[in-house]
Amino acid sequence: MIFNNFQFLIIVLLSPLVQGIIKKLKALGQGRVGAGIFQPYLDLIRLFRKGMVISKTASRVFHAAPFVVFLSTLAACALVPVISANAEVFGLGDVIALFYTLALGRFFLVLAGLDAGTAFGGEGSSREAMVAILVEPMIMLAVFTAAVAGHSTSAAQLASNPHIYSSPAYVLAFCAFYVALIAETGRIPVDNPDTHLELTMIHEGMVLEYSGGYLALLEWAHWMKQMLLFTLAADLFFPFGIGMDPVRAFVLYSVKMAVLGAALALTETSRAKLRIFQLPSLLGGAFVLALLSIISVIALQR
Amino acid sequence: MIFISGLCLFALATGLAAVAPERSLRYTYLLMFVGAVFAGAGSVLAVYAPPTAICVSSIIEYIPVSFAAGPLSGFFGLVLSAIAAPVSLYSAGYCPQGRTKAVLYGLFVLSLYALFYSADAVSFIIAWEAMSIFSYFLVISHTEDQESGRAGLVYSVMTHAGTALILAAFFAAYAVTGRFDFDGMRVGLAGSPEWIRSVIFCLSFLGFGMKAAIIPLHLWLPRAHPAAPSNVSALMSGIMVKAGIYGMLLMGFYVLGANVAWWGMVILVTGIICSVLGVLYVLMEHDIKRLLAYSSVENIGIILLGMGASALFASAGMRALAGLALAAAMFHVLNHAMFKGLLFMGAGAVHKATHTRNMEEMGGLLKRMPYTGLFFLIGCVSISALPPFNGFSSEWLTFQSLILGSQTPRIYMELATLLGGAALALTGGLAAASFIKAFGIPFLGQPRSAKAENADESNRPMILAMGIAAAACLALGLFPSGVLGLISKIPLSGLDQVSKAGVYPGMATRALLSPVNVAGGFAQIQPAGILAFMLAGLAALLVFLKIFWRRPKTVYRDSWDCGMQALTPRMQYTATAFSKPVRVVFKNIYMPKKEVSTVYALKPFFVSSMAYKSQIRPFFEEFLYRPALKAFDKLAMSAKRLQSGSLQLYLGYMLLTLLAMLVLWA
């Protein structure tokens, strides 16, 4: 019981590792050696030890944002089953609540981008808002597909839905979800996580003024969100293994995370970043996939 | 009894405002605050009590004017009180001068109470007209504003067109049933053929839709609401547009039963259009009050999504789900009243402090107005439907009822409800972006003008009023079960099933903290739990940081300026720039026009100045109203040809008319 309730700690503790693995795979794909897979942990420790430089223009929102972002991501992590589906963790909410809790964090992060009064922050904030607007309905439609087929919006219930592989709607919904995943985690072709160049950045633009412990919290929250979305993809679309005995479930879960991470690294190395105003065609295409998935799930139900 | 005494207190305060010395007007506002609190408490009791008549009299013989307290009246009375109380308190600080405004304000609120408690069509129409007229005077009362006269004209014309349609609906109902009281209409219309009921539904949907500002009948709202003083704007957006929703619930749901599928489709599709288009226009506004006014259109759309889904469920005989969807809509009515009232109060405070409504001239206000800023932020978070605030709870329930639309028997219903869900998701994202802009541009960064630089914090009554409204937003978000229990006492389609059929098992115990549970385990949320979890997480995080964060010193420096000279406020992102990506993405809807004019010192290399102007084209004005007006003008001009001014011709007309009449009567 206690274990069920605290399975979110897996995401909290292992999310830097997932990030490290993705970076390593990406480096290998680009023909570099790359840093070790534990580098993100070292980064966090380093950042926590550093002092902070804070803009004189910044208000309290700037100080509150790292905490709100971290805590809302933490709360969202508590809403998904990780390796055991027989308890909805604390019964706090469903998948819709999860995305709105994440949106709370984003709301404050975007505000923080505007707070320092620079063009960089505003640029990142404005673009992030645009991407969020396009991604949100897509994610919701993909979730609706799962909810209609699984007769629930609770992640735990959906993860224990056995009929999942019989429906082509899931394939379409997963494709849409994957595009949303790329956009939400700020990766190529939507955003470039490795640069501070003003032409390409979205997420990095918003956090440009942050340093030290605040930056560590924001980065950690960003990695948690990435692993959370991986977990959700696993719960909604590949729920095999959830609810087995903890060791086997954990092994299967690790495999799923590794595969999704590898897929993301492959996408990043094989694609170029899109121009910002070409994004709507990518995201719009994914939206149509999500729409088709919901239509097919309705049609297949009868 | 409590209700009546509260109302008397309010009326007394209004009367006192008319005679009291100018400098003690603020105390009459405080008295109104007390009156509204009592009326609110009385309204809650009215929801639980069986319907009772308050007073019956007759102006003309055989036409009784009656007022009664029932659950539906009580609920809307509660919504009105919940917003009128803080707004009255706010007014004490916001406009302590201006006797006429104080009296009109009091009369406006009283007419709204009369409207919600009227039990027949006659008293309803009298209260409705009183509400329209008092609000019209309040709209044009801002004499310093050039636009307000024109705004008042548009408002007055459109609202009366709506009243005409409502009257037609009432007369049609009277013609069929011979009754003016709503209970009588309900009984009389129960057995009448569907086409008659459909005609009455359409008339009342359009008539009340005018007041609720459904697109494309919304034209008056973004003009009239910002033109009024902010305390009145808060009431107009918070509760007066809900009078339209109340009318739809009364005629469509209570009297007609709302169980025809295509009515549900009409309401649902209108809801989709209103929510998406409404919020798209919100994002483009840079006038802080117009922005809030457009957002009322969006929220009316969200309410209509719930109502439409409810009618669809009712037509399919799924009463429990009809109740769920309607409960979501009514919950959103209350929530929208709270956060929109709060936001308008905040916008009024900002306007009072900076003397401008243009967001591009603001900036850095959070440091100058910390409390106003905090409460405005809470309003923005609530309206963006983020947990654990109240907008989230009602939008979540709306989401659930739309997803549960997949259990309806017809494929078009399933598609419509699920598309409604997608529209709601799009609306949520756009609303969040809009209110990030509405808070971020005025309150964060550096001040963009001297007006913003010299802004001061609001006075105490205003802060207190905004604090009350903000606390209500949080409380409604944390404890949705309490309000849903109240709503389930209203005898509208299926609402009584809401607790019985186990849509919310949590409510049976009435425990405030119980989770909201939908359709027997379909989904549940516990907003208070989410907050508690975050607080626990915060405690753990602080302990963690205490151990691991060495806290080397923090230094405060200028923002990063790429090594150039110091940043100026003009280098910040503006509201226009912030919403630019959305303007590009949705350019087919906005049809933006942009002009760049360059003045050269020496062509083509030395530019002395550049001007950039960008605006969006108002679709409905240009493609619906303007052609209609033009056609009407043309018609009028062609009628003018008859009037040549020659006396002989006029005598000739008379002769012709006389001859025609003789022929006809012979």
Side-chain angles (χ1 to χ4, degrees):
Chain A
M1 188 64 208
I2 290 173
F3 175 74
N4 276 336
N5 279 345
F6 287 94
Q7 45 181 328
F8 72 89
L9 285 176
I10 294 175
I11 299 181
V12 177
L13 296 177
L14 293 187
S15 55
L17 180 63
V18 170
Q19 170 72 8
I21 291 172
I22 294 175
K23 281 197 107 163
K24 185 78 182 175
L25 288 174
K26 219 175 121 177
L28 292 178
Q30 292 165 340
R32 295 183 285 121
V33 178
I37 55 172
F38 295 104
Q39 186 61 37
Y41 290 101
L42 303 176
D43 286 344
L44 285 184
I45 293 169
R46 185 200 53 184
L47 283 172
F48 275 127
R49 289 179 175 204
K50 286 207 166 192
M52 292 197 287
V53 185
I54 289 176
S55 162
K56 282 178 195 162
T57 316
S59 67
R60 284 183 194 159
V61 169
F62 188 86
H63 294 272
F67 290 96
V68 177
V69 172
F70 187 83
L71 293 173
S72 62
T73 315
L74 192 70
C77 289
L79 302 180
V80 288
V82 180
I83 55 175
S84 156
N86 50 14
E88 188 160 8
V89 191
F90 300 118
L92 291 180
D94 61 351
V95 184
I96 297 173
L98 185 151
F99 281 107
Y100 275 81
T101 311
L102 283 180
L104 175 69
R106 164 148 57 207
F107 190 93
F108 275 84
L109 188 58
V110 175
L111 279 182
L114 289 170
D115 202 10
T118 63
F120 282 112
E123 202 168 54
S125 294
S126 159
R127 291 173 182 178
E128 173 83 4
M130 176 191 98
V131 172
I133 286 165
L134 295 172
V135 168
E136 217 156 274
M138 189 159 89
I139 287 193
M140 278 299 164
L141 277 179
V143 168
F144 286 0
T145 305
V148 169
H151 301 292
S152 175
T153 56
S154 127
Q157 293 248 352
L158 290 175
S160 42
N161 172 20
H163 308 297
I164 195 155
Y165 309 107
S166 58
S167 171
Y170 275 98
V171 180
L172 294 166
F174 176 69
C175 292
F177 194 89
Y178 186 72
V179 175
L181 190 81
I182 291 171
E184 286 276 327
T185 51
R187 295 195 167 273
I188 292 174
V190 174
D191 187 8
N192 189 344
D194 300 326
T195 173
H196 287 295
L197 190 69
E198 66 269 28
L199 291 177
T200 52
M201 66 190 180
I202 300 177
H203 180 81
E204 295 297 321
M206 288 188 294
V207 301
L208 192 65
E209 285 293 323
Y210 279 107
S211 51
Y214 284 172
L215 184 60
L217 283 179
L218 288 173
E219 292 290 310
W220 195 357
H222 194 60
W223 300 334
M224 272 160 61
K225 181 177 168 189
Q226 170 173 288
M227 192 169 172
L228 166 66
L229 291 170
F230 283 10
T231 309
L232 195 65
D235 284 345
L236 295 185
F237 304 106
F238 314 103
F240 50 87
I242 289 183
M244 289 180 180
D245 63 285
V247 177
R248 279 164 71 191
F250 185 76
V251 169
L252 269 172
Y253 175 73
S254 314
V255 170
K256 285 187 250 179
M257 291 302 107
V259 169
L260 276 166
L264 217 54
L266 190 67
T267 315
E268 277 213 281
T269 40
S270 59
R271 297 275 137 206
K273 162 111 177 45
L274 280 179
R275 279 181 55 214
I276 190 109
F277 288 122
Q278 281 173 350
L279 281 184
S281 48
L282 170 73
L283 300 176
F287 181 79
V288 173
L289 285 182
L291 208 59
L292 283 176
S293 79
I294 198 116
I295 291 171
S296 52
V297 82
I298 292 173
L300 287 169
Q301 249 190 349
R302 17 204 84 233
Chain B
M1 204 54 225
I2 298 177
F3 176 73
I4 302 283
S5 56
L7 216 56
C8 288
L9 213 56
F10 206 99
L12 175 71
T14 309
L16 279 178
V19 292
E22 188 97 341
R23 67 195 142 71
S24 53
L25 270 180
R26 71 181 68 199
Y27 300 109
T28 64
Y29 277 124
L30 290 181
L31 201 58
M32 286 183 198
F33 166 69
V34 178
V37 168
F38 275 93
S43 296
V44 173
L45 293 179
V47 175
Y48 287 106
T52 43
I54 295 177
C55 85
V56 183
S57 65
S58 54
I59 303 175
I60 315 165
E61 215 172 346
Y62 305 122
I63 300 182
V65 176
S66 55
F67 295 93
L72 184 61
S73 306
F75 179 74
F76 275 86
L78 168 67
V79 179
L80 169 58
S81 312
I83 189 63
V87 170
S88 298
L89 182 60
Y90 174 86
S91 307
Y94 177 73
C95 49
Q97 263 94 51
R99 181 193 304 285
T100 338
K101 275 184 207 169
V103 175
L104 281 171
Y105 171 84
L107 288 172
F108 177 50
V109 175
L110 284 172
S111 66
L112 278 163
Y113 276 116
L115 180 78
F116 293 142
Y117 279 88
S118 57
D120 63 73
V122 181
S123 48
F124 186 94
I125 279 293
I126 294 171
W128 183 269
E129 270 302 284
M131 170 187 84
S132 302
I133 289 170
F134 294 135
S135 56
Y136 166 73
F137 283 132
L138 284 163
V139 166
I140 60 168
S141 70
H142 240 15
T143 39
E144 72 230 60
D145 209 331
Q146 293 277 320
E147 283 168 52
S148 61
R150 196 170 157 67
L153 185 71
V154 173
Y155 172 48
S156 165
V157 168
M158 293 192 70
T159 200
H160 281 95
T163 311
L165 289 170
I166 296 166
L167 268 178
F170 284 161
F171 281 130
Y174 178 73
V176 178
T177 62
R179 300 287 292 271
F180 272 128
D181 61 310
F182 296 123
D183 291 325
M185 282 186 194
R186 178 190 168 97
V187 175
L189 282 170
S192 54
E194 197 189 307
W195 71 269
I196 293 181
R197 288 151 46 83
S198 293
V199 166
I200 297 175
F201 170 79
C202 288
L203 285 172
S204 44
F205 183 69
L206 285 176
F208 290 119
M210 189 77 86
K211 188 55 96 182
I214 58 174
I215 289 176
L217 306 176
H218 68 291
L219 216 59
W220 61 274
L221 189 140
R223 290 155 202 259
H225 285 204
S230 290
N231 54 342
V232 178
S233 312
L235 284 183
M236 285 176 80
S237 257
I239 190 71
M240 196 182 76
V241 290
K242 308 299 167 37
I245 295 293
Y246 174 73
M248 286 181 198
L249 287 173
L250 186 69
M251 287 305 285
F253 284 72
Y254 182 71
V255 171
L256 294 169
N259 50 8
V260 180
W262 71 265
W263 299 358
M265 289 299 285
V266 167
I267 303 176
L268 189 69
V269 171
T270 312
I272 292 175
I273 294 171
C274 281
S275 52
V276 174
L277 280 185
V279 75
L280 278 173
Y281 285 115
V282 173
L283 195 48
M284 287 305 123
E285 276 302 334
H286 306 137
D287 175 327
I288 193 163
K289 283 179 76 178
R290 270 178 76 94
L291 181 147
L292 293 176
Y294 262 124
S295 128
S296 296
V297 177
E298 170 222 334
N299 280 281
I300 289 293
I302 294 173
I303 294 167
L304 289 179
L305 285 178
M307 285 166 62
S310 171
L312 282 179
F313 285 128
S315 74
M318 307 162 93
R319 289 201 61 212
L321 290 180
L324 168 70
L326 196 58
M330 296 188 69
F331 192 21
H332 200 69
V333 165
L334 175 60
N335 288 340
H336 176 242
M338 290 324 294
F339 53 64
K340 188 50 66 63
L342 170 60
L343 287 169
F344 260 117
M345 287 193 273
V350 167
H351 185 196
K352 196 179 163 83
T354 60
H355 306 288
T356 177
R357 296 193 329 228
N358 183 2
M359 285 165 38
E360 310 284 30
E361 295 179 42
M362 301 172 188
L365 290 177
L366 187 62
K367 287 187 170 164
R368 290 156 183 83
M369 311 171 76
Y371 289 102
T372 308
L374 172 67
F375 297 138
F376 196 81
L377 178 61
I378 290 177
C380 288
V381 174
S382 304
I383 201 170
S384 306
L386 299 174
F389 291 92
N390 60 354
F392 169 68
S393 299
S394 48
E395 280 197 27
W396 184 84
L397 275 175
T398 312
F399 262 124
Q400 291 301 334
S401 48
L402 291 170
I403 296 175
L404 284 162
S406 63
Q407 302 188 355
T408 48
R410 291 295 182 68
I411 199 155
Y412 71 90
M413 291 185 190
E414 288 183 44
L415 267 181
T417 45
L418 289 169
L419 281 182
L424 187 55
L426 179 61
T427 307
L430 284 163
S434 309
F435 284 92
I436 284 169
K437 189 181 83 173
F439 180 80
I441 302 295
F443 284 96
L444 302 180
Q446 298 183 50
R448 292 178 176 80
S449 70
K451 291 173 186 170
E453 181 120 42
N454 301 324
D456 262 333
E457 180 59 288
S458 322
N459 55 29
R460 255 180 281 171
M462 289 164 74
I463 290 175
L464 189 59
M466 288 187 276
I468 292 172
C473 284
L474 182 60
L476 284 171
L478 290 181
F479 312 116
S481 305
V483 185
L484 290 171
L486 192 73
I487 291 173
S488 69
K489 295 286 177 280
I490 301 169
L492 282 181
S493 65
L495 280 180
D496 54 325
Q497 302 278 316
V498 161
S499 47
K500 268 187 224 153
V503 176
Y504 317 107
M507 265 159 42
T509 57
R510 284 245 185 78
L512 279 177
L513 276 170
S514 63
V516 177
N517 189 316
V518 163
F522 189 85
Q524 73 171 23
I525 47 161
Q526 205 172 355
I530 293 179
L531 181 65
F533 186 88
M534 285 172 71
L535 291 177
L538 180 64
L541 182 64
L542 289 178
V543 171
F544 172 84
L545 291 181
K546 191 89 189 161
I547 301 169
F548 286 98
W549 193 355
R550 290 236 189 119
R551 287 214 176 260
K553 69 174 192 282
T554 300
V555 288
Y556 290 85
R557 293 273 185 276
D558 290 329
S559 299
W560 168 240
D561 54 11
C562 304
M564 314 259 291
Q565 297 297 310
L567 289 170
T568 68
R570 291 196 52 187
M571 293 178 191
Q572 298 178 91
Y573 247 51
T574 58
T576 314
F578 183 81
S579 50
K580 163 104 188 192
V582 180
R583 200 159 54 238
V584 174
V585 172
F586 293 96
K587 60 177 178 291
N588 294 330
I589 294 172
Y590 290 130
M591 296 177 286
K593 279 192 288 196
K594 105 183 149 178
E595 289 168 36
V596 182
S597 49
T598 317
V599 180
Y600 294 96
L602 183 66
K603 236 180 173 180
F605 298 115
F606 297 98
V607 175
S608 63
S609 76
M610 272 182 101
Y612 174 88
K613 201 174 150 192
S614 159
Q615 65 181 67
I616 59 166
R617 286 160 76 181
F619 179 83
F620 292 99
E621 282 168 51
E622 262 184 46
F623 296 100
L624 190 70
Y625 284 89
R626 202 147 294 155
L629 271 180
K630 257 191 195 146
F632 191 76
D633 260 1
K634 229 180 196 170
L635 198 72
M637 288 307 278
S638 58
K640 203 178 157 193
R641 236 174 273 159
L642 292 172
Q643 298 176 305
S644 60
S646 111
L647 194 62
Q648 287 90 332
L649 201 62
Y650 289 166
L651 286 173
Y653 289 155
M654 281 183 176
L655 189 70
L656 277 177
T657 315
L658 196 64
L659 278 176
M661 301 239 317
L662 282 174
V663 171
L664 279 176
W665 256 271

